[in-house]
């Protein structure tokens, strides 16, 4: 509720109580709870309704957003921290969000890079907001990671976006690229009639890791008149086999981007209440904070 605080007035000396910070209107623990609710995907208006029951009637959605701005320094420190361990496997992906641009809304990409360390732990390595997913933006992000200490990359796993493939070739010389087998299956099935999709999907699942069997499926689809589906397999075939060069016990984890799919799903779940972000700063603040939470869970087991 409301508390009236009487304090002495000095002409020459400043006075500050150890109980409340200067100009404080809300106790710090409550501010932390409000910010945490915001990060967990509770809308600012819903937060306002909740704290109204605690006797705080003048907490506007804008006030909640201002409180959350204290996270900016933490997010920047997290995204710019040194990378101290060797990262043999990189997983990269992007998700899309609406941002207000004057009187209109535009869609922008959030590029996220995660890695699997030599000790087996996963780690969020970086994130960036861009206008698109072309080679230039991915290359810039990869170069920043190298400047922060990224080393030892042997395999980069992603979907079939050409911008990622070209960036990997340019920035990580001697590194292999792995096409996510799940994304490959989806791309193939887009060119297959629904009645045959289950059959083809099961065949692909059993064929991954065997180059000849994948080629046989492509030849069979071509003979049946599904040329685009066959072309998709043949186009990605070299990238579908890269993971077989690494320890067999790692294969199930490094042949797909399932790790990144789960990250993006959590980002979408907790940003859903926002709808459209007022600017890039607010998007990076929320996404970066969520990535910090995910990373903490990963590195602490």
């Amino acid at each position: 509720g409301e508390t009236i605080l009487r304090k002495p007035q000095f002409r020459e000396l400043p006075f500050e109580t150890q109980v409340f910070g200067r100009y404080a209107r809300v106790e710090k623990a409550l501010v932390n709870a409000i910010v945490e609710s915001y990060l967990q995907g509770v809308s600012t208006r819903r937060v306002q309704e909740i704290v109204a029951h605690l006797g705080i009637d003048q907490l506007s959605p804008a006030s909640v957003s201002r409180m959350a701005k204290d996270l900016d320094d933490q997010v920047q420190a997290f995204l710019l921290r040194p990378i101290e361990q060797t990262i043999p496997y990189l997983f990269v992906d992007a998700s899309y969000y609406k941002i207000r641009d004057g009187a209109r809304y535009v869609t922008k990409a959030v590029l996220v890079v995660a890695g699997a360390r030599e000790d087996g732990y996963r780690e969020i390595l970086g994130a960036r907001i861009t206008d698109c997913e072309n080679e230039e933006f991915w290359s810039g992000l990869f170069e920043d990671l190298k400047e922060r200490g990224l080393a030892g990359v042997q395999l980069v796993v992603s979907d079939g976006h050409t911008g990622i493939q070209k960036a990997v070739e340019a920035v990580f010389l001697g590194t292999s690229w792995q096409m996510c087998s799940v994304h490959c299956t989806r791309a193939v099935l887009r060119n297959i009639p629904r009645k045959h999709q289950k059959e083809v999907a099961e065949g692909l699942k059993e064929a991954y890791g065997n180059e000849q069997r994948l080629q046989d499926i492509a030849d069979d689809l071509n003979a049946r008149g599904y040329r685009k589906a066959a072309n998709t397999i043949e186009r990605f075939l070299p990238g579908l086999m890269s993971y077989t060069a690494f320890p067999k016990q790692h294969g199930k984890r490094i042949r797909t981007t399932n790790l990144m799919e789960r990250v993006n799903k959590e980002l979408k779940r907790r940003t859903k209440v926002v709808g459209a972000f007022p600017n890039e700063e607010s998007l990076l603040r929320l996404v970066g904070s969520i990535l910090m939470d995910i990373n903490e869970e990963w590195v602490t087991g």
Side-chain angles (χ1 to χ4, degrees):
E2 184 175 331
T3 299
I4 305 300
L5 178 66
R6 299 182 62 189
K7 64 184 183 69
Q9 302 292 329
F10 298 102
R11 292 183 178 180
E12 305 294 337
L13 302 173
F15 172 84
E16 182 175 353
T17 173
Q18 293 184 7
V19 180
F20 298 97
R22 297 184 68 186
Y23 310 112
R25 295 292 181 269
V26 180
E27 209 278 327
K28 186 64 177 176
L30 182 56
V31 172
N32 292 339
I34 291 170
V35 172
E36 183 61 25
S37 298
Y38 171 75
L39 294 180
Q40 291 299 327
V42 181
S43 70
T44 53
R45 285 177 175 79
R46 181 60 179 155
V47 172
Q48 183 183 13
E49 294 173 7
I50 294 170
V51 298
H53 294 292
L54 303 176
I56 303 173
D57 297 323
Q58 300 182 1
L59 186 67
S60 66
S63 299
V64 176
S65 298
R66 282 196 298 272
M67 291 178 184
K69 284 186 178 180
D70 292 339
L71 296 167
D72 288 349
D73 291 341
Q74 299 176 42
V75 169
Q76 286 301 316
F78 171 70
L79 295 178
L80 298 177
R81 73 193 188 285
I83 300 173
E84 299 175 340
Q85 297 210 31
T86 300
I87 309 289
Y89 304 128
L90 280 189
F91 301 84
V92 301
D93 202 0
S95 53
Y96 297 87
Y97 303 87
K98 283 186 171 56
I99 298 178
R100 187 183 301 125
D101 183 11
R104 67 192 186 103
Y105 292 93
V106 297
T107 299
K108 294 197 175 185
V110 175
L111 314 183
V112 180
V113 179
R117 308 186 320 206
E118 286 187 322
D119 59 8
Y121 283 90
R122 299 163 294 171
E123 191 173 342
I124 299 291
L125 300 176
R128 177 176 295 182
I129 298 173
T130 65
D131 295 326
C132 62
E133 272 195 88
N134 64 20
E135 177 187 355
E136 178 184 356
F137 289 112
W138 279 113
S139 294
L141 179 54
F142 291 156
E143 290 289 359
D144 285 350
L145 294 176
K146 290 175 68 174
E147 290 179 6
R148 287 168 44 208
L150 177 63
V153 178
Q154 301 177 42
L155 184 71
V156 178
V157 189
S158 75
D159 59 20
H161 199 286
T162 55
I164 299 176
Q165 297 177 54
K166 292 180 179 178
V168 170
E169 293 175 1
V171 179
F172 297 116
L173 295 178
T175 296
S176 302
W177 171 74
Q178 169 66 36
M179 168 65 177
C180 171
S181 58
V182 175
H183 281 86
C184 180
T185 298
R186 292 174 186 168
V188 172
L189 296 184
R190 280 197 290 268
N191 299 292
I192 299 290
R194 184 177 294 273
K195 61 182 179 180
H196 298 309
Q197 286 184 358
K198 183 178 180 180
E199 167 204 343
V200 174
E202 291 176 350
L204 286 171
K205 185 177 181 180
E206 295 176 358
Y208 286 128
N210 188 312
E211 186 172 2
Q212 185 57 53
R213 292 180 67 181
L214 287 170
Q215 185 61 59
D216 290 343
I217 291 177
D219 293 340
D220 178 62
L221 292 175
N222 185 51
R224 294 163 63 180
Y226 305 135
R227 183 58 188 164
K228 288 185 177 180
N231 285 342
T232 299
I233 297 175
E234 292 175 343
R235 184 170 75 253
F236 292 131
L237 189 54
L240 288 168
M241 300 301 301
S242 297
Y243 80 97
T244 60
F246 297 90
K248 189 174 182 179
Q249 63 269 29
H250 298 176
K252 186 177 180 180
R253 303 285 185 176
I254 64 174
R255 79 177 195 181
T256 72
T257 57
N258 286 352
L259 178 149
M260 297 304 301
E261 294 287 326
R262 289 191 291 271
V263 169
N264 286 332
K265 184 177 181 180
E266 181 67 5
L267 291 177
K268 289 292 186 180
R269 183 185 72 82
R270 288 166 64 174
T271 59
K272 185 177 180 180
V273 298
V274 178
F277 290 84
N279 48 52
E280 288 189 8
E281 290 75 16
S282 62
L283 172 58
L284 187 62
R285 179 184 310 131
L286 184 51
V287 168
S289 299
I290 296 169
L291 292 176
M292 288 170 61
D293 287 348
I294 294 173
N295 187 73
E296 184 176 357
E297 292 177 5
W298 284 357
V299 299
T300 61

